[in-house]
Every structure is written in C-alpha cells, then in structure tokens.
Amino acid sequence: MDDVDRKILAELQQDGRLTVTELAARVRLSVSPCHRRLRELERSGAIQGYRAMVDPASLGLNFEALVFVSMRQEDRDTVAEFERAVAELEHVLDAQRLFGEPDYLLRVATADLAAFQRLYDERLATLPGVQRLTSTLVMKHVVRDRPLPA
C-alpha cells in the first residue's frame, strides 16, 4: 500500500460514488492505472464493499442504545453460538467482543423505547451464555462513521 493507494481510499471514503474517471483525476493518475489499483484494493480486501449511508430516522429507527453483555460461560461452543445468534438480530448494528469486562458491546437501533424493551427481554436476554446485560441510551452522535485515517 503506497501513498497513491491511500489517496484512493481516502477519496472513496469521502464519496463512494465517484466514477473511475473522477477518482483518477482526484489522485492524479490516468484512468487505466487508477482502475487497476482500484481493482487490486478490492481484490486484496482493503476495500470491503460499497454502501449508502442511510439516516436511521428515515427508517423509523429513532432510538439507539449500547448494550454491554457479560457472559456466564465463555467456552468455544457457547461463544460461537452467542455470536451466531447476535449476527442474526437485524436491530444489532454493531457487535464487538471486548477484552476484560464486559465481554461484548452491542449497538442497537429500534423504533422507540417499547421496541427496545421487547428486543431486550425477548431476544437479547435469551442469547446463549448471557449472564448480565447492561444498557445505556445514546443521547446524540458526536462523531459518526468517520473515514479511517490515511
């Protein structure tokens, strides 16, 4: 990964809809070498995909919470089963396994408090291996979806 590749990644993080021609102009390459570099960044996994950033409120998801999960048991099978079950919950936007306590952090979006409570009681609390759930509500986003530093 050289400086040109980093410039390509920076430009695409700012605007993933750039055409190859526009991208090439911004990073000061001709179209063919830019296209080759772009395809190599995709092939290597440096670029993992393209997507639209959607306002959650436009989908009626006006409530967001962070849920901290402490596991009762952390054997390989339980962890795998827990992670598989979490991955199936569409309202879980992010899930990270942490070092130390708690064991996991989940970012959850729902329509409102009542929907969150149903998800919490019916789905999250029944996940495999869960000992304790603690949640906190998101008041506002100060930094969100920031591009990675080059």
Side-chain angles (χ1 to χ4, degrees), residues 17-145:
R17 295 185 66 178
L18 289 173
T19 66
V20 176
T21 303
E22 293 167 329
L23 180 61
R26 289 188 185 190
V27 299
R28 294 181 166 37
L29 281 179
S30 61
V31 173
S32 291
C34 183
H35 191 257
R36 278 193 299 276
R37 283 176 178 264
L38 181 58
R39 293 296 167 242
E40 179 54 30
L41 289 166
E42 291 169 344
R43 190 201 60 73
S44 72
I47 296 175
Q48 297 179 344
Y50 301 89
R51 65 184 180 113
M53 294 172 57
V54 178
D55 175 31
S58 70
L59 298 175
L61 300 172
N62 298 304
F63 187 87
E64 190 171 325
L66 301 176
V67 179
F68 302 93
V69 181
S70 296
M71 300 294 285
R72 176 177 58 253
Q73 57 193 62
E74 295 186 74
D75 60 274
R76 182 181 299 168
D77 291 340
T78 303
V79 166
E81 198 176 329
F82 171 84
E83 290 179 0
R84 227 180 347 269
V86 165
E88 292 175 6
L89 297 174
E90 68 178 351
H91 290 278
V92 174
L93 305 180
D94 289 307
Q96 289 106 19
R97 187 171 182 193
L98 309 173
F99 278 111
E101 182 67 25
D103 299 301
Y104 289 89
L105 170 61
L106 312 178
R107 186 168 69 94
V108 176
T110 61
D112 53 28
L113 178 60
F116 174 70
Q117 187 226 330
R118 282 191 304 278
L119 177 71
Y120 189 98
D121 292 344
E122 297 170 11
R123 304 295 303 275
L124 298 176
T126 65
L127 290 168
V130 170
Q131 177 181 13
R132 182 175 61 253
L133 299 174
T134 307
S135 60
T136 189
L137 308 181
V138 175
M139 183 184 304
K140 75 175 190 177
H141 290 272
V142 178
V143 176
R144 186 176 195 151
D145 297 320

